Amino acid sequence: MYCIPVPERNAAHKLKLRINLITKKMMKSKPGETRTACKYPGRSNLRRMGMTVFCCLFLVTGLFAVDTNVPLPEGDGVKGVSQAGKRQISGTVVDETGEPVIGANVLEKIVDGVHQMSEEERYVPPKDPEVLKKLEWFKDQKLGLMMHWAPASQYGLFESWPLCDEEDQKWEHSEITWTDDLEEFYRQYEYAPKTFNPIKFRPDRWASLAASCGFKYLLFTTKHCDGFCMFDTKTTDYRITAPDCPFSTHKYADITGSLFSAFRNAGLGIAAYQSKADWHDQDYWSEDFPMTRGRGPNYSIKEHPEKWERYVQRVHEQYREVCSKYGQIDVLWLDDGWISAEDLRLGELIDGIRATTQPGMISANRSGREYEDFLTPEQTIPSEPIRVPWETCMTLGNYWGHHYTENYKSARNLVHILIDIVSKGGNLALGIGPQPDGELPAGAMLELRRMGRWLGVNGEGIYGTRIAEGFIKNSQVKCTCKGNTVYAFSLYDDFASPGRHIEVSMDGDAAKSGVASVTLLRNGQNVPFERTKNGIILKTADIDFNGAEYADCFVIQLE
């Protein structure tokens, strides 16, 4: 085994990062909003140069206090993604084959604090025809509602991660403001189920709202790393239906079962999220060994295989419970990429479930390779199309779980993010944290309803589409397709004002295609166009843009 460290940043490099971060913060739009390109690039560059000089002067003279532990700015993906909960890696222990060793408290592949998807070139397609068929269904859905919810939502903290105490993970404790005694906090966290009573929980209303907002499947956290089970299990008393949880007597006490039934009845697909790590399990974080509170087990699984085997058996039983008690499960979404499929014997588990209760079930194992039936980039959008199944998971606000002070992305931002993802062949799993009283946040629902209104008009160009090969994307025009029908989306900023024409660029075989007609999807209006060597020019001078919201969809029928 050997260690691959992240190179140390020298003082000059750290200063550059601080300047870039402050400059970005000073130029960014309101919280949750995607900042669009400046209409006059020269002015933007002048502003950035001026702010950089300003920051240099203050940093060098020491008049501008900067926290050296401030998270690094986001990468080149979509702007406006969450900065909350960013984690930096300091090193990963691997074996001779390059695989992570979880017994050494290894760290997941995380860059700028978000889980990084496996490389497209390493994707291993499933061989089961039923799984391949289900993947085509999955690629049609495009929009999923992701929910992290557990008793700790009462505290408005990062989900599970405050329990972890890795040296370079101190952001996890940043919102524990009421005590400096972490041992006291750990006891309070453990006690949270005894006060969790979300009496306003109405799964039927959640499902109805999700459907009206345009969602096509639910991705629900049945168990996160803290080990609390939001389903009725025989494996532990740390569950929502335990007698010491006040909600256990409620008619919807089995929250997972209630949600899955309600969403399925509303016509939505079902994806069950479950962490592979369980920090509450005595065979994962064991009291028989020093409590290191790393994300991996606090003992060597090679030196204590009997203890690890008990853990594997218990986790397998929980997966089988979820996949046998609650009807059809379309996707089993397995987080915690630092635990390999081999160490948890996922092949044995998933093949067994597919052969019995869930034929064709998709597996999203974030460890990579086999049983990672689709890729899962987090809080970012790939810069180019990906031609294997994939799904970006992204927060609606800044956090996965409930926070009392939250800023949500606007409907315009959400629509633009969705179009960008779908044009590159992916799905969007949009995450919100339900309130501890059982209601969904009003601010979140306001933006989601607006997004749903837009999808009700333009959804034909989103759902069931694929990458429009040969149609060149740019910042304002992105395309999808179904057969010979291409959907060209013109993205609008604050006002729908594309000018007198919109250019749709094409290359390769697409540039040789004839165009039979172009219509505006929201009202069926015929749109005059001019065919050029490099694409199509849509003549929009006579279009009434008063009814346009966020983006227009032009339906291009190829000959």
Side-chain angles (χ1 to χ4, degrees), residues 135-199:
L135 276 173
E136 289 303 309
W137 167 87
F138 178 74
K139 290 191 292 184
D140 287 343
Q141 306 311 299
K142 303 306 180 188
L143 184 60
L145 177 62
M146 190 175 191
M147 288 183 165
H148 285 69
W149 195 34
S153 62
Q154 298 169 94
Y155 302 144
L157 296 171
F158 300 117
E159 53 289 325
S160 298
W161 286 102
L163 299 174
C164 186
D165 196 24
E166 292 176 345
E167 183 58 33
D168 55 355
Q169 310 290 310
K170 297 306 182 184
W171 59 266
E172 298 147 342
H173 301 148
S174 63
E175 295 192 345
I176 306 172
T177 57
W178 61 91
T179 180
D180 295 324
D181 185 345
L182 287 180
E183 292 301 323
E184 179 185 26
F185 166 74
Y186 297 147
R187 290 191 296 271
Q188 291 170 339
Y189 195 104
E190 179 86 7
Y191 189 80
K194 296 179 174 59
T195 58
F196 186 57
N197 195 20
I199 58 173

Side-chain angles (χ1 to χ4, degrees), residues 492 496-499 502 520 522 540-541 543-549 552 554:
Y492 303 141
S497 55
I502 296 171
L520 182 59
R522 63 180 160 88
T540 59
I543 291 178
D544 181 4
F545 287 99
N546 288 326
E549 281 190 307
D552 260 329
F554 295 88

Side-chain angles (χ1 to χ4, degrees), residues 63-190:
L63 295 176
F64 204 106
V66 178
D67 182 0
T68 57
N69 294 318
V70 70
L72 300 183
E74 65 263 26
D76 295 329
V78 79
K79 295 178 175 62
V81 299
S82 168
Q83 293 289 322
K86 291 209 162 188
R87 306 192 288 276
Q88 300 297 318
I89 54 176
S90 59
T92 300
V93 181
V94 298
D95 62 20
E96 297 79 5
T97 66
E99 286 299 299
V101 181
I102 65 171
N105 287 338
V106 302
L107 303 180
E108 185 178 5
K109 183 181 179 184
I110 293 173
V111 178
D112 282 353
V114 295
H115 172 97
Q116 299 298 293
M117 65 180 183
S118 302
E119 295 82 0
E120 180 180 353
E121 295 75 16
R122 298 184 67 198
Y123 177 74
V124 179
K127 300 180 179 65
D128 186 334
E130 290 298 313
V131 178
L132 292 171
K133 181 179 178 181
K134 181 59 71 70
L135 276 173
E136 289 303 309
W137 167 87
F138 178 74
K139 290 191 292 184
D140 287 343
Q141 306 311 299
K142 303 306 180 188
L143 184 60
L145 177 62
M146 190 175 191
M147 288 183 165
H148 285 69
W149 195 34
S153 62
Q154 298 169 94
Y155 302 144
L157 296 171
F158 300 117
E159 53 289 325
S160 298
W161 286 102
L163 299 174
C164 186
D165 196 24
E166 292 176 345
E167 183 58 33
D168 55 355
Q169 310 290 310
K170 297 306 182 184
W171 59 266
E172 298 147 342
H173 301 148
S174 63
E175 295 192 345
I176 306 172
T177 57
W178 61 91
T179 180
D180 295 324
D181 185 345
L182 287 180
E183 292 301 323
E184 179 185 26
F185 166 74
Y186 297 147
R187 290 191 296 271
Q188 291 170 339
Y189 195 104
E190 179 86 7

Side-chain angles (χ1 to χ4, degrees), residues 443-454:
M445 295 314 301
L446 175 65
E447 301 302 335
L448 292 179
R449 285 190 178 97
R450 289 170 174 169
M451 178 188 70
R453 184 176 62 200
W454 182 90

Side-chain angles (χ1 to χ4, degrees), residues 102 223 235 274 276 278 281-284 297 299 301 304-320 339-349:
I102 65 171
K223 185 185 77 170
T235 63
Q274 194 163 128
K276 291 181 287 185
D278 187 333
D281 195 296
Q282 284 297 305
D283 287 315
Y284 193 89
Y299 62 91
I301 66 173
H304 302 278
E306 73 292 340
K307 180 175 283 290
W308 182 250
E309 178 59 25
R310 287 198 300 270
Y311 178 74
V312 170
Q313 291 293 340
R314 192 149 46 244
V315 169
H316 279 208
E317 181 58 27
Q318 290 176 353
Y319 291 151
R320 285 193 290 265
I339 302 179
S340 73
E342 292 76 16
D343 283 327
L344 208 56
R345 301 207 307 277
L346 284 182
E348 167 193 324
L349 170 72

